[in-house]
Amino acid sequence: MLRSFIIFSLFLHSCVAAPQTPTAAAAVPAKKWLTLNGQEPGVVARGGFSGLFPESSASANAFAISTSSPGLTMLCNLQMTKDGVGICLPDIRLDNSTTISTLFPKAQKTYKVNGQDLKGWFALDYSADTIFSNVSLVQNIFSRPSIFNGQMPISAVEDVLGTKPPKFWLSVQLSAAEYLKTLRFRGITFISSPEIAFLKSIGMDAGMSKTKLIFEFKDPEAIEPTTNKKYSEFLLDLAAIKAFASGVLVPKDYIWPLDSANYLKPASTFVADAHKAGLEVYASGFANDLRTSFNYSYDPSAEYLQFVDNGQFSVDGCLSHQQGNLPKANHALVITHNGASGDYPGCTDLAYQKAVDDGADVIDCSVQMSKDGIAFCHDSADLTTSTTAMTTFMSRATSVPEIQPTNGIFSFDLTWAEIQSLKPQILSPFLTKGGFQRNPANKNAGKFITLVDFLEFSKEKAVTGVLINIEANTTFQKYTFQDNFTDDALFCLQNAAYLASKKGLGIVDTVQSAITKSTLDKQLTQKVLIQSDDSSVLSSFAAVPPYTRVLTIDKEIGDAPKPSIDEIKKHAEAVNLKRSSLVTTSKNFATGKTNVVEEMHKGNVSVYVSVLRNEYLSIAFDYFSDPTVEIATFIAGNSVDGVVTEFPVTATRYLRSPCSDLNKEQPYAILPVEAGALLSVAAKEAQPPASAPNPPLDARDVIDPPLPPIANIVSANASGEAPGHSGTIATTADLGLSLVAILVLGLLFAAE
């Protein structure tokens, strides 16, 4: 069970708990919950905050108590030492969660446990004094912070009880009846075990101390040792369990099973059947950094809510019961990045529809041009990775150094009809690094749309606004991974200057004409944001006052001096900044907060931050592998005016939660993270070296040369061959990226 949390019936979002004042408590009326007894569901923290700190360490326990709900239950996995002392560790073997193997490298042993031979270092071979004096804890899941390894001692059961958790859960995998008698069951709220005989043996003592006994289900095909039955057989007679337990603990798949493709199947009747038998239901196996069903879009909150807010069993909490268009608790805009591109191929009709359904305020269109002058929405002029172009137009790959250093199949070399013949491909930025695939069932779903159709769609759906992105400066940056997460990476940025001078395509004029025809420039109900990394492009739209011009600043900055802001204000009313320009990071830890937002706001310049993604690899440890906490940090902690995200539903859910309003009297609040606080817990020698600060924004970086005039170039013929082609057909070996390499890249993304 390599998991962080166990949730009872089944979820109350782990909002960071604000102090509960009498006023706040009174403001929340009593609700009838759909748990067995109608009471508020509980949060059970396995080993404390074990997603960050080693399980059951003092820091994990203290952090869990200080950051969770007031009714938190602390869980300890009980292991016994040679001399009968109870300690809290995730497994009977010590080698995966402690430093034991380095201290006693030749002390491995083999024991038969539940019919299987287990090899390792076992707690029952060492005295408590040996363990407490010599052995320290390590994180037992390698994707989690290792910076705390070897610094924290193992906790005895009495140590955890001494933290006075609101409730205490003891998970017993092997019989420990005599040890429990020495504790007299004091302070123990729950005891769980997968063994019926053990639960029956302590039933009388547990009843006298009002300790609840919980029968733990293992894998359905595993054998329960007392009865020799498979655990799946007990599903046929849940009422029989009531004779020796008051509740059951089951892996979450017992409730919401998954199919072979990792999508949700219909919910089982387990919860209803157990409640009918008078049994409380506890579900296990939740963790923010665990890859689970694609239905959840890598958002742990979405998974928790699936267990409690699905129309069958439901609770009220920070994020539950948000059906309908609830008002946002903050003015910040939710701006899409290629639509809901975390769920569907970016810039397709389905990605935009999903974004609208998810409550996005502003949907975006990065404008590209076809060979025959049709403006359409697509993240990049290079179609190799985000479409099936490699299978159809491989011979049309070209080298265009003005655009990017590698070969590509470019939109301006294909007609719109040819582009329409392609299938889109969803981009999974963490596929190669971490194996994180995005929605494979819809990897080629949807169709690309023209800019004209995009504007009509936005009017029909009455979204708050549209963002039209026109990139002008030649910049190339592959998806890169620094400290395990990527920041605002693009494959290719369309070069407006190149299109004008070499292709005879006026992207600025085309955009202006499309907006005028849509009449969006003549009304005030919907915002129109024009975004570019080029000041000359933005200046071209200065004559239309309703527009909000957004300057993209691709470089990391640590300061925004007044001269730079004054230069920005000549061309734009807002800026789009990288996450690392607001919160600096090192080795997956947030190390500091810049004052860039405050400086921009003093100059009356709005700030948007991009790009936010749900995959935990893109999220600093400080945010608990939870995209909601990262969003809270940028909105509530940095006061940004908008977040640019590939998963708009996550940002919208946060903003519509009452827990996002820090000015409201309430028992819970989702608080922003203080950068550097988590890192300070680690020993100084274990902390990463301080990084050089980001440079200040230079006013010269804001100023761009005027765009060249549009060249008079003969129109493309039907065959797709363009006269005056400035690129070189990619058939020679000295090209930056060979056709074979492009094919491999295309096949890699097609495999998603």
Side-chain angles (χ1 to χ4, degrees):
M1 278 179 33
L2 300 181
R3 304 292 182 264
S4 295
F5 296 106
I6 299 173
I7 310 296
F8 157 57
S9 261
L10 298 151
F11 168 68
L12 184 65
H13 184 274
S14 57
C15 299
V16 177
Q20 183 168 5
T21 63
T23 304
V28 181
K31 300 269 187 176
K32 178 70 173 179
W33 304 78
L34 295 181
T35 55
L36 177 65
N37 54 19
Q39 295 179 357
E40 179 181 288
V43 176
V44 182
R46 172 184 167 144
F49 216 110
S50 54
L52 285 180
F53 302 100
E55 183 168 323
S56 291
S57 63
S59 295
N61 294 330
F63 201 68
I65 292 174
S66 65
T67 60
S68 192
S69 56
L72 173 75
T73 299
M74 190 79 72
L75 184 142
C76 161
N77 281 298
L78 176 66
Q79 312 300 336
M80 300 300 300
T81 66
K82 185 177 183 179
D83 48 351
V85 175
I87 57 177
C88 299
L89 286 172
D91 191 76
I92 187 175
R93 291 169 293 184
L94 305 179
D95 34 305
N96 194 38
S97 58
T98 75
T99 58
I100 190 76
S101 61
T102 60
L103 296 170
F104 307 103
K106 298 182 179 180
Q108 275 186 310
K109 291 188 177 182
T110 300
Y111 287 98
K112 190 173 288 293
V113 179
N114 294 330
Q116 294 183 331
D117 287 337
L118 295 183
K119 185 177 182 180
W121 287 258
F122 293 82
L124 52 83
D125 289 324
Y126 300 92
S127 68
D129 182 64
T130 299
I131 288 177
F132 293 140
S133 301
N134 301 283
V135 183
S136 54
L137 294 166
V138 300
Q139 177 57 260
N140 66 335
I141 297 180
F142 298 129
S143 61
R144 293 176 178 173
S146 60
I147 197 171
F148 307 110
N149 287 358
Q151 300 176 31
M152 301 172 183
I154 294 172
S155 297
V157 171
E158 290 82 357
D159 294 330
V160 181
L161 285 169
T163 64
K164 300 188 183 305
K167 298 176 183 177
F168 182 69
W169 183 311
L170 205 58
S171 174
V172 182
Q173 299 301 305
L174 299 176
S175 181
E178 293 303 315
Y179 171 71
L180 291 173
K181 288 180 180 179
T182 65
L183 290 180
R184 298 181 181 178
F185 293 81
R186 287 178 297 193
I188 304 175
T189 316
F190 305 93
I191 295 176
S192 62
S193 174
E195 187 176 344
I196 292 175
F198 168 70
L199 291 174
K200 288 183 175 180
S201 72
I202 63 172
M204 184 174 297
D205 292 330
M208 293 176 61
S209 62
K210 297 183 179 179
T211 298
K212 292 184 177 181
L213 299 184
I214 308 299
F215 179 51
E216 179 182 350
F217 279 66
K218 294 294 188 179
D219 183 87
E221 295 302 305
I223 302 298
E224 194 281 317
T226 303
T227 62
N228 252 0
K229 291 182 179 179
K230 295 180 180 180
Y231 283 96
S232 59
E233 295 182 55
F234 292 97
L235 299 176
L236 304 176
D237 188 14
L238 291 174
I241 298 173
K242 184 65 177 176
F244 57 87
S246 60
V248 290
L249 170 64
V250 296
K252 60 187 179 181
D253 291 354
Y254 274 70
I255 299 169
W256 279 102
L258 302 180
D259 63 20
S260 59
N262 232 27
Y263 286 90
L264 288 176
K265 296 168 69 173
S268 73
T269 61
F270 184 88
V271 174
D273 295 342
H275 283 177
K276 185 177 179 180
L279 295 168
E280 295 175 337
V281 178
Y282 301 79
S284 68
F286 296 89
N288 290 0
D289 55 359
L290 173 69
R291 277 180 285 180
T292 181
S293 171
F294 291 114
N295 298 79
Y296 304 134
S297 300
Y298 296 106
D299 183 352
S301 296
E303 180 181 20
Y304 302 147
L305 290 169
Q306 184 69 23
F307 281 75
V308 298
D309 202 9
N310 52 63
Q312 300 177 49
F313 33 91
S314 175
V315 302
D316 286 321
C318 285
L319 300 177
S320 63
H321 285 211
Q322 288 197 14
Q323 290 87 355
N325 191 25
L326 297 180
K328 289 168 33 178
N330 189 288
H331 74 282
L333 296 172
V334 176
I335 305 170
T336 66
H337 184 244
N338 305 321
S341 55
D343 292 304
Y344 290 97
C347 297
T348 60
D349 56 340
L350 294 180
Y352 289 127
Q353 183 59 59
K354 180 69 162 58
V356 171
D357 295 341
D358 290 346
D361 298 305
V362 178
I363 57 175
D364 71 306
C365 172
S366 288
V367 182
Q368 312 299 337
M369 298 291 290
S370 69
K371 184 175 183 178
D372 47 351
I374 302 298
F376 68 102
C377 303
H378 196 261
D379 185 49
S380 167
D382 185 1
L383 306 177
T384 54
T385 56
S386 54
T387 76
T388 56
M390 283 306 305
T391 61
T392 307
F393 298 112
M394 184 175 178
S395 63
R396 306 275 284 277
T398 60
S399 172
V400 185
E402 299 96 326
I403 295 293
Q404 64 184 40
T406 58
N407 289 357
I409 300 174
F410 296 100
S411 65
F412 46 74
D413 288 333
L414 302 180
T415 65
W416 175 237
E418 289 173 326
I419 293 171
Q420 284 182 299
S421 71
L422 302 174
K423 289 183 179 180
Q425 288 185 169
I426 196 167
L427 289 177
S428 299
F430 302 98
L431 179 64
T432 304
K433 177 69 176 182
F436 286 81
Q437 227 177 342
R438 288 181 173 179
N439 198 7
N442 291 288
K443 65 180 182 180
N444 297 119
K447 60 182 181 179
F448 297 120
I449 64 175
T450 65
L451 174 60
V452 170
D453 290 340
F454 169 82
L455 295 174
E456 287 304 311
F457 173 84
S458 68
K459 289 176 62 178
E460 177 188 339
K461 300 300 180 180
V463 293
T464 300
V466 295
L467 184 148
I468 308 300
N469 187 40
I470 308 171
E471 299 297 345
N473 294 316
T474 302
T475 305
F476 179 82
Q477 183 180 10
K478 290 184 179 179
Y479 279 107
T480 55
F481 299 88
Q482 180 179 6
D483 297 339
N484 285 342
F485 54 91
T486 185
D487 199 5
D488 314 340
L490 297 174
F491 285 98
C492 165
L493 302 181
Q494 178 93 319
N495 191 316
Y498 174 83
L499 289 177
S501 62
K502 299 297 178 68
K503 294 296 182 180
L505 298 172
I507 189 170
V508 171
D509 292 343
T510 300
V511 169
Q512 288 176 329
S513 175
I515 297 176
T516 298
K517 289 180 181 178
S518 73
T519 70
L520 283 172
D521 60 338
K522 298 179 177 64
Q523 50 80 53
L524 299 176
T525 55
Q526 289 180 285
K527 297 177 183 291
V528 177
L529 289 77
I530 304 295
Q531 177 175 282
S532 181
D533 60 349
D534 190 284
S535 59
S536 295
V537 171
L538 296 177
S539 295
S540 301
F541 293 89
V544 188
Y547 293 168
T548 297
R549 295 171 298 168
V550 184
L551 178 66
T552 301
I553 300 177
D554 292 317
K555 64 179 292 185
E556 292 182 341
I557 62 173
D559 193 18
K562 188 176 185 301
S564 299
I565 295 176
D566 290 341
E567 189 61 43
I568 289 172
K569 292 173 66 176
K570 296 176 184 178
H571 313 283
E573 293 74 43
V575 291
N576 186 345
L577 302 177
K578 297 164 71 78
R579 296 180 300 169
S580 52
S581 291
L582 307 186
V583 177
T584 57
T585 59
S586 177
K587 303 299 180 184
N588 281 33
F589 287 92
T591 56
K593 174 185 173 183
T594 71
N595 61 352
V596 171
V597 175
E598 290 86 342
E599 291 169 333
M600 292 288 183
H601 283 173
K602 286 179 183 178
N604 200 29
V605 176
S606 299
V607 177
Y608 309 134
V609 62
S610 64
V611 173
L612 305 189
R613 300 180 173 98
N614 281 1
E615 291 95 340
Y616 78 83
L617 282 179
S618 73
I619 299 172
F621 289 134
D622 306 66
Y623 306 134
F624 316 147
S625 300
D626 187 346
T628 299
V629 178
E630 181 182 37
I631 292 167
T633 299
F634 284 117
I635 292 178
N638 287 265
S639 301
V640 298
D641 302 285
V643 292
V644 181
T645 175
E646 294 175 346
F647 296 91
V649 66
T650 303
T652 300
R653 186 190 298 123
Y654 162 75
L655 284 168
R656 289 180 177 171
S657 162
C659 296
S660 68
D661 188 352
L662 303 186
N663 298 315
K664 186 178 180 180
E665 286 285 340
Q666 55 189 346
Y668 310 107
I670 304 174
L671 300 179
V673 165
E674 181 183 349
L678 179 60
L679 194 60
S680 67
V681 178
K684 195 71 175 177
E685 60 272 16
Q687 298 180 18
S691 303
N694 292 340
L697 178 64
D698 193 318
R700 291 172 294 184
D701 293 332
V702 177
I703 305 170
D704 293 290
L707 294 175
I710 301 171
N712 185 16
I713 295 178
V714 179
S715 299
N717 57 42
S719 69
E721 296 297 327
H725 195 357
S726 66
T728 303
I729 299 300
T731 57
T732 59
D734 60 344
L735 292 174
L737 182 66
S738 71
L739 288 181
V740 174
I742 295 179
L743 179 60
V744 171
L745 185 62
L747 291 175
L748 173 64
F749 281 90
E752 299 170 14

